Amino acid sequence: MHEITQAVNEGHCWVCDAGGVVAGYATLHYQFFSNPFLGLLITGADFRRQGIGSALVNAIEQTLPKPGKLFTSTNESNQPMQALLHKAGFRPTGRVEGLDDGDPEIFYLKILS
């Protein structure tokens, strides 16, 4: 919860409103070796597979300087997020074991041009 509050306070939280209902949100921070990092990307269960996640990623990208980089990560088990990232032009750039037992974290990078 602290990450969301901090992102809102810093103006680094994007929200998708669907008729007065929060359909999804995304946060950005710069604590990953001072690089922009998509920290959270959440889409409500009733709103998945409607392009909301992609729209949030695109909205964040539009605020970042070009050329530049955008990093993010997701668990190896999160196939929907991996598909979204691949479609959005991210590529895997590394993995970390041990954050979630038996479910490595896969890191992704998108070069912004």
Side-chain angles (χ1 to χ4, degrees):
M1 195 62 146
H2 171 73
E3 180 179 346
I4 298 167
T5 302
Q6 183 176 354
V8 169
N9 290 340
E10 294 174 354
H12 293 146
C13 183
W14 286 256
V15 176
C16 178
D17 178 291
V21 175
V22 174
Y25 65 92
T27 64
L28 181 72
H29 66 76
Y30 290 84
Q31 296 147 356
F32 186 72
F33 301 97
S34 299
N35 287 291
F37 191 92
L38 175 63
L40 291 175
L41 178 61
I42 308 292
T43 303
D46 293 342
F47 299 98
R48 292 185 182 145
R49 299 284 194 225
Q50 297 179 27
I52 291 169
S54 295
L56 288 164
V57 170
N58 187 53
I60 287 174
E61 287 179 17
Q62 297 308 309
T63 70
L64 297 173
K66 278 87 172 169
K69 300 175 187 176
L70 176 59
F71 288 90
T72 192
S73 69
T74 191
N75 288 91
E76 186 175 63
S77 65
N78 191 341
Q79 296 298 314
M81 180 63 169
Q82 290 182 47
L84 182 151
L85 293 172
H86 178 73
K87 184 178 175 182
F90 285 81
R91 64 177 172 82
T93 190
R95 71 190 267 141
V96 173
E97 304 277 345
L99 295 174
D100 294 314
D101 290 337
D103 196 6
E105 191 78 8
I106 311 296
F107 286 79
Y108 288 84
L109 165 64
K110 182 171 184 179
I111 301 298
L112 305 173
S113 55

